[in-house]
Amino acid sequence: MGSWRRWVLAPALLLVVLAACDAIYEDQVGLWDWHQEYIGKVTHAVFQTASGKKRVIVATEKSVVASLNLRSGEIFWRQVLEESEPIDGLQVALGKYAVSLSRGGSLRSFHLPDGSLIWETSLYTSPSPAQLFLLPSDDLLVLKQGIVYVVSSADGRLLWTADLLDERLAQTSLSFEGKNIYVAGFSGSSIALFRIDASTGAFTTLKTTEPLNPSSFVLSSGVFAALDTQGDIVTGLMEGEVVELQKTSLATLLDSPVSSAQLLPDKIPGGCVLSTDGGSIFVLGLDKKGVEVLQQIQGPAVVSNSIVLDGTFAQSFLQRVNSKEIRVRVLSGKEWIETAEETVEVDPNKGGVQKVFMNAYIKTDRSRGFRVLIVGQDHSLALLQQGKVVWSREEALASVVDTLTAELPLEKAGVSVAEVEHDLYEWLKGHVLRLKSTLMLATAEEQTALQALRLNNADKTKMTRDHNGFRKLIVVLTSSGKLFALHTGNGGIVWSRFIPELSTKGSLKLYPWRIPHKHVDENPVALVLGSSHDGTGFAAWVDMLTGSVQETLALPYSVKLALALPLVDSSERRLHLLIDDQNKAHLYPTSDESLSLFEKYMQNVYFYIADKGAGQIEGYNIKSQIDSGEEGGLVFLSQKIWSVLFPKDSETIAAITTRRADEMVHTQAKVLGNRDVWYKYLNKNMVFVATVTPQDSRVGAANPEETWLVAYLIDSVTGQILHRVSHAHAQGPVHAVFSENWVVYCYFNVRNHRHEMSVLEVYDKSADGKDVLQLMLGRYNASVPFSSFSPRNLEVKGQSYFFPSTVRTMSVTFTARGITGKQILVGTIGNQVIALDKRFLDPRRSADPTPMEREEGVIPLSEGLPVFPQSYLTHAARVEELRGIISVPARLESTCLVFAYGIDLFFTRTAPSRTYDSLTEDFSYALLLITIVVLVVAIAVSMVLSQRKELREKWK
Amino acid sequence: MRRLAPTIAFFATLLAIATASSGFQWDELDDEEWGFVGSSPASSPPPAPQSDLARKKPAAPEASSSPESNKVQFPLEHAFGGSEFTRAGVFTARLRPSFRGGQALGKLRLSRLPLSGAERQAFEELLKEDGFYTIRVPANPLSPGAPFVISSIKARCLAIANLKEHLDIHMDQGNIIAVGYSAGANCPYPRELKHPASWTFDTHIVSKGGEQAKTVLFNDFGLGSTADDTLGDEAMAAIKKPPPEKSFWAKYWMYIIPLGLIVMNAITQVANMQEEPGAPAGGGQQARAPAAVRRR
């Protein structure tokens, strides 16, 4: 249906092109773009259920403070704080403020209903971990390495501070009892105990009857408990000047021999939690008389925070029953609460439970109920209540590290008639509504119905390939080791897969392993590689349409680099070389077929390894196959053939960028206004390297006269520096994109106090004087292989411009055939994506272009690059902590899909040269049809009329 | 406004001169001058006293610099397909102060040692297996030793070029960043096996210091302000150059043409009206007569 609609109406195309606009209209928001908000892995949570809206306040690893709806998990509000300062503590004070403590000593108070900042206090500046407590007086206490700060929760005023010890305490514990605050700290050699008056801050240092060197300790309700190195538990009441210590043997207390144990830092009023190496957990009661075992839990369990219920504490314990079920039990004092024991079925795809937060509520039958918020190993957040998972959030999506796209399967032939009819009815209804709207006849209800119809177009989320290639799957890999497939239509999660082995690996990457072209009915497969610093790696092969893990492999080496070779075997698996620490190359798949394919190609495999620390780039070539020993597999030896060494005291590597391997370039020739032809130098092995002058990171330390940026274009096969240009007064960070024969890079100019963007374009001058016919016949064009070992004659053109915004990340649009113009996608500090036309970054721009250049479309030179409000691809949305922008070509040449990720996800389409090859989606076909019908009728009527008139004339 | 143009041009020239003078004036050797070398008698028209001087002490044990002459010597080493590096020649250079502080190397000369018998054999071996001929130079010629800068070329490419080699030495403040090593002839893949006609290297050295980028152009009105960044180029161009005065015809054609049409129409109508009294009467009768005939 779609094709006739497009082709029948070709004459109207011109009209639409003229009407098309770069930006989108307000009612087009959400039509083909989507925006998802996340918060990251939760580290702290405080329930706020007393009055009004039921909500939970959370703080996350991404330094987000958010208020979530306890009923649905939706975000009421969120505040994104500085990511380099993790949140150390979160409390709710006075029942109306959420207070967060950041690593840099900033205490911020947010208004609970709307998240607005009420007050902010900076207590200290050292980036050391600290703890945040809420005093019984509703004031806030910050304990940082032996310094106590007490802050008023009403206005953030510092009430008092107590510097307990000169030396810093590595490990601290704190408890309140009545008017006193007790602090225990361990300075590395001895324990130090303090009693502080909560109202004044006056403190007394307490002595112990004997010196103590504990492995772990807690303070609870004025009782001190520690585990000493002899395996005894030592308790003492924090009264008077000297604390009398009592020793109890752990073995006799627990009735079983214990080799090692640990006191958990979780606070229990009048008690503590002890975990043993056997995985068992003991809840101990502490009082004046000593220590007793209240309850024992066998096997590994996750312990929640404790809450006070009817004068005693309650705490929940989560244990895994099997891969699908977890058991939740609540301990109140000595006894298990029978009614609260539940077995909850959870998604086995979420890994283990890492953190639990408990909350109690009154049920409709006046009895007490409990709910728990669990944080999974895959960073997901879920609320369990009444034996069910009420809601869950996939917070792993806040930490996307790599993405791939997969084509959906082809539409099967033989779609049922009913479906078509339904489709046709909907289609007609939509068009009637659209027609009414165009003729301004539609009522407000019809307008909303039309908008809803447009937004929820069923076509958008189909699981089949569409003609224009807009429907795809975005496979994202997250730092938690979980993979997700998102549908480009609405961002819905099609599948997700948690691979626990990946969660412990430091660097994760995704590679297209198998993209079927011949066997279209087979599914594409992605290779997931994880490698860690301990010298091990992990590989998994995942079906990109279903998410099933086909194969996993633990690698006995860490992968420094993975190369996708331009070779595929008979089952269309792409050959990959994994380079290990010793620069040995491991070939996958490990079949005889791939070996024979690779052997022919082996001599021409070159790769480079950049070592930013050492300031050098080294080039390697595959030399020979070696005996892989007991590991098996196909292993090859590499030899170093070139090196580029940047002088350490004047240059450090700031950015390295290469061309995308699958980039399509439409033409190698560039025809100038004066009918000259320039040939783009399209070497896929060109690498752009930018180095900057090293400097200390102190603000204002940069001396404009001594800061340089040097840009290199290096051939990665021979290591030859093709071009080298230095920019004075330039400072990093440097962001760069490399496409076709040009590089655009961005840096800060210290002297002008502005960001600059520079462009380098490389032209091959060795083809000069050869005519276009020869180029067309294939003698000199880009499809003819050329050797990096041959001499070349290049011309590099460059130009710099000011750019009005700070750049977070940069990317460039890619289209299916490379005919469409390019846009540079700039992620700004404001977390938005700007599409900047490449024509503004043309090095041939001059202040006064000649008429020929004007004819060619060269824009007159200006010092700054323009940013129009319409060029924001993200329109009103913000992609918090924007880290990456991915562009994927659609099948329609004019259009490119753009996916931006940070804490949030954003997806849209962009048409750098406008949609010249299709009609817009909201094109009113009905209006056109009606116009044609009306015209035909008018022609017929006027024909009849004119015949009659003619007849009448003749009768006269 | 037009008087402004020469002023702008003048300032632009001034600016260009200023930027050029703030940059570095390269000494005559840098970038384009070819250093000559080699012991090949066929291609050595200049007598090159430096190379003679170097040849007198070919086995200089280590690179050395003598303070009075500001001369530096450092070794060129080579390896055949991953073998140990051995001495292949000696570079001599003159020290001079660099514009960015520190010292720079100028007047680079190389005296290449002839290949020994064993080396020739190793080279032949490389030709057979299409291996790499690798060279290295110390990254810091002032204090030679590790680290080294390495560069390689397929031995067959060298053989095709008859051992004519190009060395692009990229330097920065007396440090060697990279050596671009290429053969003097095209070397398309697959490389054919060809033996060199003579066993003497014909070396050309280019020492490259890199160039400084063009700075952002400043408009005479937009220095330092950010507001005009958002103005757009069209607006900027409009401010900069007023559109040239249009001719009368270009300005008013849209009024003239309809006016002309109206006038012409009126004239023809007047002409028709003059003709009308006689003509329509006769024509009408003629037309009516055959119709009446047909009706009958």
Side-chain angles (χ1 to χ4, degrees):
Chain A
M1 202 177 260
S3 57
W4 68 262
R5 269 190 245 159
R6 235 190 17 262
W7 293 115
V8 163
L9 307 167
L13 192 98
L14 190 72
L15 213 124
V16 175
V17 168
L18 292 176
C21 180
D22 270 0
I24 57 171
Y25 293 103
E26 193 183 352
D27 65 340
Q28 287 176 319
V29 169
L31 214 56
W32 54 73
D33 61 326
W34 45 263
H35 179 226
Q36 294 177 352
E37 294 189 332
Y38 293 95
I39 51 175
K41 185 186 181 184
V42 170
T43 52
H44 300 83
V46 184
F47 290 88
Q48 191 60 27
T49 53
S51 60
K53 281 179 183 165
K54 302 274 182 261
R55 54 170 92 87
V56 56
I57 315 298
V58 292
T60 70
E61 273 183 358
K62 296 277 175 193
S63 295
V64 176
V65 179
S67 167
L68 303 180
N69 186 342
L70 208 48
R71 298 276 180 257
S72 64
E74 285 163 18
I75 300 172
F76 279 136
W77 56 260
R78 65 173 180 168
Q79 294 285 353
V80 183
L81 309 180
E82 194 66 43
E83 203 181 355
S84 57
E85 293 178 358
I87 295 174
D88 278 339
L90 181 74
Q91 293 291 346
V92 170
L94 302 173
K96 56 180 180 180
Y97 298 147
V99 183
S100 74
L101 172 69
S102 292
R103 186 62 56 89
S106 284
L107 208 54
R108 295 184 181 94
S109 164
F110 301 100
H111 197 209
L112 273 187
D114 57 5
S116 55
L117 185 69
I118 300 295
W119 53 258
E120 182 174 354
T121 308
S122 186
L123 296 175
Y124 48 89
T125 51
S126 66
S128 41
Q131 288 165 285
L132 179 68
F133 300 92
L134 190 67
L135 291 174
S137 62
D138 245 357
D139 285 327
L140 297 155
L141 185 145
V142 175
L143 175 61
K144 182 213 130 199
Q145 293 177 328
I147 308 177
V148 178
Y149 303 88
V150 172
V151 176
S152 158
S153 10
D155 52 8
R157 192 162 37 92
L158 185 65
L159 296 177
W160 54 262
T161 169
D163 197 344
L164 303 177
L165 258 189
D166 286 340
E167 50 189 325
R168 298 281 81 97
L169 301 174
Q171 206 185 342
T172 47
S173 182
L174 182 141
S175 84
F176 325 111
E177 186 70 25
K179 285 179 73 184
N180 290 329
I181 302 167
Y182 300 103
V183 176
F186 186 58
S187 61
S189 57
S190 65
I191 197 96
L193 302 172
F194 306 94
R195 184 173 57 228
I196 309 171
D197 188 311
S199 52
T200 62
F203 66 91
T204 6
T205 309
L206 306 182
K207 291 188 178 67
T208 50
T209 47
E210 54 187 296
L212 200 62
N213 189 8
S215 59
S216 60
F217 59 90
V218 287
L219 273 180
S220 176
S221 308
V223 183
F224 170 75
L227 278 180
D228 71 6
T229 41
Q230 284 97 47
D232 291 333
I233 185 159
V234 183
T235 58
L237 195 63
M238 304 273 279
E239 278 177 354
E241 291 289 310
V242 178
V243 178
E244 273 187 45
L245 296 179
Q246 286 181 311
K247 268 194 184 178
T248 320
S249 163
L250 212 53
T252 51
L253 182 73
L254 306 180
D255 258 350
S256 62
V258 176
S259 61
S260 84
Q262 204 190 357
L263 287 170
L264 299 183
D266 302 279
K267 293 268 150 312
I268 301 181
C272 64
V273 183
L274 181 101
S275 82
T276 63
D277 56 345
S280 291
I281 285 177
F282 295 88
V283 180
L284 308 178
L286 299 173
D287 55 17
K288 290 175 190 171
K289 285 169 276 177
V291 55
E292 58 168 335
V293 176
L294 296 180
Q295 196 56 258
Q296 181 186 359
I297 298 103
Q298 288 294 345
V302 188
V303 190
S304 80
N305 58 321
S306 66
I307 55 173
V308 178
L309 273 185
D310 311 324
T312 172
F313 73 89
Q315 208 167 15
S316 61
F317 294 83
L318 260 69
Q319 279 184 296
R320 191 160 274 278
V321 182
N322 52 40
S323 67
K324 277 188 176 174
E325 288 175 320
I326 47 176
R327 185 161 56 160
V328 184
R329 287 197 290 173
V330 180
L331 184 73
S332 174
K334 271 183 127 172
E335 302 299 322
W336 293 110
I337 301 178
E338 295 287 327
T339 54
E341 183 166 335
E342 285 161 350
T343 305
V344 187
E345 202 171 309
V346 291
D347 186 356
N349 197 18
K350 289 190 186 299
V353 176
Q354 286 198 329
K355 257 191 156 76
V356 189
F357 304 96
M358 185 177 68
N359 177 235
Y361 64 97
I362 307 289
K363 289 185 189 170
T364 43
D365 61 359
R366 301 272 157 208
S367 66
R368 202 174 283 283
F370 298 93
R371 56 167 83 94
V372 287
L373 194 66
I374 58 170
V375 181
Q377 211 180 341
D378 66 337
H379 299 189
S380 69
L381 183 70
L383 182 80
L384 311 187
Q385 188 175 330
Q386 294 154 314
K388 279 201 184 77
V389 177
V390 185
W391 52 259
S392 77
R393 293 180 60 89
E394 292 290 1
E395 289 306 333
L397 285 170
S399 51
V400 173
V401 288
D402 203 1
T403 65
L404 268 188
T405 47
E407 293 287 346
L408 287 160
L410 285 171
E411 198 153 1
K412 297 277 184 296
V415 181
S416 71
V417 182
E419 216 171 345
V420 173
E421 275 179 349
H422 171 76
D423 208 8
L424 197 67
Y425 173 70
E426 288 283 307
W427 187 76
L428 267 179
K429 192 176 132 194
H431 278 294
V432 170
L433 279 176
R434 211 165 281 172
L435 186 66
K436 274 187 163 177
S437 160
T438 317
L439 301 174
M440 296 186 190
L441 294 171
T443 60
E445 286 148 39
E446 280 170 335
Q447 286 280 18
T448 45
L450 175 66
Q451 188 64 9
L453 209 68
R454 290 166 70 186
L455 290 184
N456 305 320
N457 187 357
D459 255 13
K460 235 168 54 168
T461 52
K462 264 193 200 166
M463 278 301 291
T464 52
R465 219 174 278 189
D466 64 334
H467 189 271
N468 290 337
F470 294 157
R471 287 201 298 261
K472 284 180 199 291
L473 281 187
I474 306 175
V475 178
V476 300
L477 176 64
T478 65
S479 65
S480 67
K482 195 171 189 178
L483 285 153
F484 293 87
L486 307 174
H487 196 291
T488 55
N490 61 352
I493 297 171
V494 177
W495 55 260
S496 66
R497 180 72 53 224
F498 177 58
I499 304 173
E501 292 89 341
L502 289 176
S503 61
T504 54
K505 301 286 180 238
S507 69
L508 303 174
K509 286 287 269 179
L510 266 178
Y511 297 91
W513 174 256
R514 180 160 181 257
I515 305 297
H517 293 292
K518 278 181 254 165
H519 314 95
V520 193
D521 49 335
E522 288 181 37
N523 289 355
V525 178
L527 166 66
V528 191
L529 276 181
S531 79
S532 55
H533 296 299
D534 61 3
T536 59
F538 185 81
W541 284 265
V542 182
D543 186 318
M544 289 214 264
L545 293 188
T546 63
S548 58
V549 178
Q550 293 187 335
E551 201 186 331
T552 60
L553 186 67
L555 307 172
Y557 49 87
S558 76
V559 183
K560 221 185 207 177
L561 182 75
L563 305 172
L565 302 175
L567 301 171
V568 285
D569 68 3
S570 55
S571 55
E572 293 191 85
R573 290 181 296 181
R574 187 161 292 279
L575 268 58
H576 279 71
L577 270 188
L578 311 189
I579 312 296
D580 69 9
D581 290 339
Q582 279 106 40
N583 296 331
K584 278 190 282 187
H586 304 255
L587 179 69
Y588 290 92
T590 51
S591 64
D592 291 341
E593 187 196 355
S594 63
L595 178 64
S596 67
L597 274 171
F598 182 69
E599 273 175 341
K600 281 180 221 148
Y601 182 77
M602 190 166 83
Q603 264 219 324
N604 292 335
V605 177
Y606 298 87
F607 62 92
Y608 68 93
I609 288 170
D611 186 344
K612 287 193 181 182
Q616 66 172 3
I617 304 178
E618 291 179 333
Y620 294 85
N621 172 242
I622 300 295
K623 199 177 177 192
S624 55
Q625 189 177 3
I626 51 167
D627 183 26
S628 55
E630 55 213 52
E631 305 158 15
L634 306 168
V635 189
F636 297 85
L637 204 63
S638 64
Q639 62 176 340
K640 183 157 92 174
I641 56 168
W642 59 265
S643 68
V644 172
L645 203 74
F646 302 109
K648 250 187 176 174
D649 50 344
S650 61
E651 293 181 36
T652 52
I653 299 173
I656 296 178
T657 314
T658 52
R659 272 177 71 188
R660 227 166 90 152
D662 56 350
E663 187 187 21
M664 294 293 289
V665 181
H666 176 60
T667 172
Q668 194 195 358
K670 179 172 180 170
V671 183
L672 270 54
N674 58 7
R675 307 294 176 267
D676 264 5
V677 181
W678 284 6
Y679 299 94
K680 298 174 188 171
Y681 184 64
L682 299 169
N683 183 354
K684 288 217 169 189
N685 297 315
M686 249 197 302
V687 185
F688 170 79
V689 181
T691 65
V692 291
T693 311
Q695 50 200 274
D696 48 324
S697 51
R698 279 174 295 138
V699 176
N703 177 1
E705 302 307 322
E706 287 168 14
T707 56
W708 289 83
L709 180 146
V710 190
Y712 295 88
L713 287 172
I714 299 175
D715 186 308
S716 65
V717 172
T718 60
Q720 290 191 25
I721 296 179
L722 304 177
H723 187 67
R724 176 168 160 221
V725 63
S726 54
H727 296 262
H729 323 304
Q731 194 184 346
V734 181
H735 302 276
V737 286
F738 200 149
S739 171
E740 297 195 352
N741 65 327
W742 52 264
V743 191
V744 169
Y745 50 103
C746 175
Y747 49 88
F748 186 72
N749 189 316
V750 190
R751 180 177 265 182
N752 293 324
H753 304 287
R754 293 216 228 171
H755 288 275
E756 277 182 21
M757 224 178 242
S758 291
V759 60
L760 293 179
E761 286 191 6
V762 192
Y763 293 96
D764 191 352
K765 289 290 169 187
S766 54
D768 263 5
K770 282 145 195 166
D771 60 8
V772 181
L773 196 70
Q774 280 180 317
L775 176 95
M776 283 166 69
L777 292 174
R779 284 214 51 197
Y780 300 104
N781 67 20
S783 60
V784 177
F786 67 96
S787 172
S788 284
F789 293 107
S790 295
R792 53 205 129 185
N793 180 15
L794 304 180
E795 184 175 337
V796 180
K797 302 230 162 226
Q799 183 77 266
S800 300
Y801 303 93
F802 288 130
F803 187 68
S805 175
T806 306
V807 176
R808 267 180 184 275
T809 176
M810 262 164 93
S811 181
V812 65
T813 57
F814 291 100
T815 52
R817 315 215 173 279
I819 300 168
T820 309
K822 296 269 181 183
Q823 278 180 341
I824 290 151
L825 305 173
V826 184
T828 66
I829 196 79
N831 296 316
Q832 296 215 305
V833 180
I834 296 173
L836 186 70
D837 202 306
K838 166 69 178 57
R839 284 179 303 167
F840 286 112
L841 282 155
D842 188 341
R844 293 176 56 238
R845 282 174 68 180
S846 59
D848 190 15
T850 61
M852 277 174 177
E853 283 174 339
R854 276 183 197 275
E855 177 203 319
E856 196 193 324
V858 174
I859 304 166
L861 182 64
S862 60
E863 57 169 11
L865 295 171
V867 173
F868 305 108
Q870 293 93 328
S871 52
Y872 283 89
L873 286 187
T874 39
H875 47 85
R878 281 158 58 101
V879 188
E880 293 294 346
E881 299 291 331
L882 181 61
R883 285 195 311 275
I885 305 169
I886 307 293
S887 73
V888 186
R891 270 177 72 191
L892 199 65
E893 168 56 30
S894 68
T895 313
C896 160
L897 311 178
V898 176
F899 177 63
Y901 60 86
I903 292 180
D904 296 352
L905 305 179
F906 183 82
F907 174 86
T908 191
R909 284 181 213 161
T910 179
S913 305
R914 301 187 176 175
T915 48
Y916 56 82
D917 51 1
S918 73
L919 296 177
T920 52
E921 297 215 333
D922 54 349
F923 182 81
S924 185
Y925 296 100
L927 182 65
L928 190 83
L929 275 178
I930 287 169
T931 317
I932 292 169
V933 167
V934 166
L935 278 175
V936 167
V937 167
I939 289 168
V941 168
S942 60
M943 220 151 84
V944 171
L945 284 179
S946 80
Q947 270 176 355
R948 277 192 196 163
K949 197 181 173 193
E950 208 173 303
L951 193 63
R952 221 181 295 134
E953 286 277 316
K954 286 177 178 167
W955 274 110
K956 269 183 193 166
Chain B
M1 281 302 249
R2 253 180 224 187
R3 248 173 277 144
L4 207 60
T7 331
I8 297 170
F10 173 68
F11 276 115
T13 333
L14 260 188
L15 194 77
I17 293 166
T19 44
S21 58
S22 74
F24 175 62
Q25 288 90 42
W26 299 106
D27 68 352
E28 73 293 342
L29 190 90
D30 276 346
D31 239 347
E32 279 316 316
E33 190 178 321
W34 298 91
F36 154 75
V37 186
S39 37
S40 113
S43 64
S44 58
Q50 282 92 348
S51 75
D52 278 340
L53 194 129
R55 235 181 278 154
K56 274 177 201 160
K57 38 174 182 175
E62 267 308 313
S64 57
S65 71
S66 52
E68 65 278 5
S69 65
N70 279 337
K71 268 196 179 161
V72 188
Q73 289 194 341
F74 54 95
L76 169 78
E77 294 174 306
H78 62 180
F80 301 87
S83 71
E84 287 291 307
F85 281 93
T86 52
R87 178 68 61 97
V90 178
F91 280 102
T92 50
R94 200 180 287 275
L95 267 182
R96 52 187 68 220
S98 154
F99 75 108
R100 276 166 65 181
Q103 293 188 301
L105 296 179
K107 292 215 192 301
L108 208 57
R109 297 284 183 273
L110 170 70
S111 84
R112 198 80 149 90
L113 297 176
L115 288 181
S116 69
E119 284 170 339
R120 275 183 205 187
Q121 216 166 1
F123 198 87
E124 291 275 4
E125 198 62 34
L126 277 187
L127 287 179
K128 236 176 271 169
E129 64 186 23
D130 196 12
F132 282 101
Y133 173 71
T134 309
I135 56 162
R136 73 174 188 188
V137 292
N140 186 355
L142 302 181
S143 57
F148 291 96
V149 170
I150 299 172
S151 192
S152 302
I153 192 165
K154 285 278 181 187
R156 285 189 184 181
C157 292
L158 265 185
I160 289 167
N162 217 355
L163 298 192
K164 188 175 176 188
E165 54 181 7
H166 282 214
L167 287 173
D168 296 347
I169 299 186
H170 296 267
M171 292 197 289
D172 177 63
Q173 298 183 40
N175 288 309
I176 295 177
I177 294 173
V179 176
Y181 190 29
S182 54
N186 258 342
C187 185
Y189 184 81
R191 293 171 277 271
E192 54 177 319
L193 176 57
K194 202 178 140 189
H195 292 275
S198 75
W199 284 101
T200 44
F201 282 95
D202 176 11
T203 315
H204 288 257
I205 307 170
V206 186
S207 108
K208 290 193 169 175
E211 60 185 84
Q212 202 174 331
K214 274 194 265 179
T215 50
V216 178
L217 167 125
F218 279 104
N219 298 52
D220 46 341
F221 56 88
L223 203 133
S225 80
T226 44
D228 51 63
D229 286 350
T230 48
L231 255 179
D233 297 86
E234 287 84 357
M236 304 258 279
I239 297 167
K240 210 169 168 186
K241 271 192 288 135
E245 193 78 5
K246 286 176 182 172
S247 68
F248 177 79
W249 174 249
K251 253 183 189 170
Y252 300 111
W253 63 270
M254 66 279 268
Y255 305 110
I256 295 168
I257 290 176
L259 204 75
L261 283 173
I262 290 167
V263 169
M264 275 167 69
N265 206 16
I267 290 168
T268 44
Q269 266 186 355
V270 167
N272 284 350
M273 265 175 23
Q274 282 171 347
E275 276 174 39
E276 216 161 329
Q285 278 170 355
Q286 279 167 2
R288 239 174 256 161
V293 173
R294 224 184 283 156
R295 223 181 289 164
R296 258 180 233 137

